[in-house]
């Protein structure tokens, strides 16, 4: 009989690619993870992982078992949801990981909404960048992620996660007030090819949006200044350090002295935001109201 907890470990190793990283995510020691993998191989009668200096990869047998693992763990989430519904599940804590703007735009309003509609649900919020929150859900560190689509992100049909679309917003061009395009009604990105750029660090989903938009305009942005804090990005632009693309919602309430904000000419680069939970958990009586409240906040 295959133990479900060992399937959790197999998926963590597949996701993180090393025993050490999987162990850290699961709050286990690397030796404990290795022991559980060995036990799982004994249970199945197959070699499931191959180790090398670069990390761990699944064997063909491991890939087969991983496909079943995703289905089994999703079904276990559904079982937990139904049992919680059977016992009413009217009170409990749900942990939500979201990036700063997402917290302000949808998470905080959802918390306020739930205080009136589902007072038994307590929300705990953790600040996490759009690419960091999804692994936190998969590793069971949080229940809900508010994340941003990015290159390499799990697809909407990923068997491990259930997605709920929340909102999409354009990026606007931010240029110093003395910039040659400051008076233009819209800014063609190709006209900024020779400018110094300010933007998020690689790994931040917004970095991908900026770079991809510039590539589509025919150039690679010369990123001279990096910050994941859009207030810092705008402050540097106001100092004349360069130009930037910033999500429209991040500009709300910000001091824009010294800069001009203009829409991008043509198809604007867009940040698409969604909520994600472990597949099967979307019907849980604690999680479902949270997802509904996030959706309502996004529509408002």
């Amino acid at each position: 009989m295959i133990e479900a907890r060992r399937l959790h470990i197999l998926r963590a190793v597949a996701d993180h690619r090393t025993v050490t990283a999987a162990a850290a995510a699961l709050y286990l020691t690397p030796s404990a993870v290795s022991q559980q993998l060995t036990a799982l191989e004994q249970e199945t009668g197959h070699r499931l992982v191959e180790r090398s200096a670069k990390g761990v990869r699944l064997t063909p047998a491991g890939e087969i078992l991983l496909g079943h693992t995703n289905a089994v763990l999703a079904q276990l989430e559904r079982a937990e949801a139904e049992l919680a519904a059977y016992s009413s599940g009217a009170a409990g804590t749900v942990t939500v990981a979201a990036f700063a703007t997402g917290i302000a735009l949808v998470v905080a309003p959802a918390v306020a909404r739930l205080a009136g509609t589902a007072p038994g649900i307590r929300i705990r919020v953790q600040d996490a960048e759009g690419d960091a929150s999804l692994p936190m859900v998969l590793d069971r560190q949080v229940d809900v992620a508010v994340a941003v689509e990015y290159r390499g992100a799990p697809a909407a049909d990923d068997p491990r996660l259930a997605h709920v679309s929340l909102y999409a917003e354009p990026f606007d061009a931010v240029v110093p007030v003395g910039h040659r395009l400051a008076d233009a009604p819209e800014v063609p990105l190709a006209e900024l090819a020779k400018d110094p750029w300010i933007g998020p660090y690689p790994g931040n989903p917004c970095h991908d949006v900026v770079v991809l938009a510039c590539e589509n305009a025919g150039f690679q942005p010369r990123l001279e200044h990096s910050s994941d804090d859009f207030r810092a990005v705008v402050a540097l632009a106001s100092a004349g350090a360069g130009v930037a693309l910033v999500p429209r919602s991040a500009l709300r309430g910000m001091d824009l002295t010294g800069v001009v904000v203009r829409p991008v000419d043509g198809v604007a680069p867009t940040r698409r935001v969604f909520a994600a939970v472990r597949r099967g958990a979307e019907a849980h009586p604690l999680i479902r109201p949270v997802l509904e409240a996030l959706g309502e906040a996004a529509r408002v």
Side-chain angles (χ1 to χ4, degrees):
M1 181 70 68
I2 297 174
E3 291 191 20
R5 64 192 178 96
R6 290 176 181 148
L7 296 180
H8 279 292
I9 289 172
L10 178 70
R11 187 161 79 177
V13 169
D15 287 343
H16 294 281
R17 302 297 183 184
T18 71
V19 168
T20 301
L26 297 172
Y27 300 102
L28 296 172
T29 63
S31 61
V33 169
S34 294
Q35 289 169 8
Q36 292 299 317
L37 287 175
T38 299
L40 184 58
E41 289 179 328
Q42 292 172 347
E43 287 175 344
T44 60
H46 291 278
R47 187 181 181 189
L48 302 174
V49 297
E50 292 181 348
R51 295 171 173 82
S52 70
K54 295 182 179 180
V56 176
R57 70 179 183 88
L58 298 189
T59 64
E63 292 288 354
I64 291 172
L65 183 57
L66 180 63
H68 291 286
T69 292
N70 291 327
V72 168
L73 295 183
Q75 191 60 41
L76 288 175
E77 292 283 356
R78 294 186 189 100
E80 290 182 10
E82 289 188 20
L83 288 170
Y86 176 76
S87 60
S88 82
T93 300
V94 176
T95 304
V96 179
F99 56 100
T101 309
I103 291 174
L105 202 60
V106 294
V107 177
V111 170
R113 184 181 301 272
L114 288 166
T117 61
I121 299 178
R122 177 173 175 263
I123 305 296
R124 293 180 62 246
V125 180
Q126 296 186 20
D127 191 330
E129 289 298 335
D131 58 333
S133 57
L134 296 178
M136 294 170 72
V137 168
L138 290 171
D139 293 333
R140 305 181 71 86
Q141 297 172 8
V142 301
D143 302 303
V144 181
V146 175
V148 178
E149 289 184 6
Y150 59 94
R151 286 188 282 193
D157 61 352
D158 190 291
R160 303 168 299 170
L161 295 167
H163 284 221
V164 177
S165 295
L166 294 178
Y167 64 92
E169 62 172 328
F171 281 59
D172 288 326
V174 178
V175 301
V177 291
H179 193 273
R180 64 188 180 281
L181 296 176
D183 294 329
E186 296 181 334
V187 172
L189 285 185
E191 296 295 320
L192 301 177
K194 296 183 179 180
D195 286 85
W197 279 74
I198 312 155
Y201 284 101
N204 186 315
C206 290
H207 174 89
D208 286 348
V209 174
V210 171
V211 171
L212 184 59
C214 293
E215 288 176 351
N216 289 338
F219 70 98
Q220 283 281 342
R222 180 162 52 91
L223 284 163
E224 292 198 357
H225 311 282
S226 297
S227 175
D228 289 333
D229 185 334
F230 286 116
R231 293 185 182 275
V233 170
V234 171
L236 286 168
S238 70
V243 300
L245 289 174
V246 177
R248 187 166 292 171
S249 66
L251 295 167
R252 294 178 184 174
M254 194 180 295
D255 181 6
L256 299 177
T257 304
V259 298
V260 172
V261 178
R262 294 287 183 266
V264 173
D265 183 33
V267 178
T270 302
R271 172 163 73 171
R272 292 177 172 81
V273 180
F274 63 94
V277 299
R278 291 180 295 278
R279 190 169 292 275
E282 62 271 25
H284 193 286
L286 293 178
I287 292 176
R288 185 179 63 251
V290 174
L291 294 176
E292 291 173 351
L294 288 170
E296 286 294 326
R299 284 188 287 275
V300 171

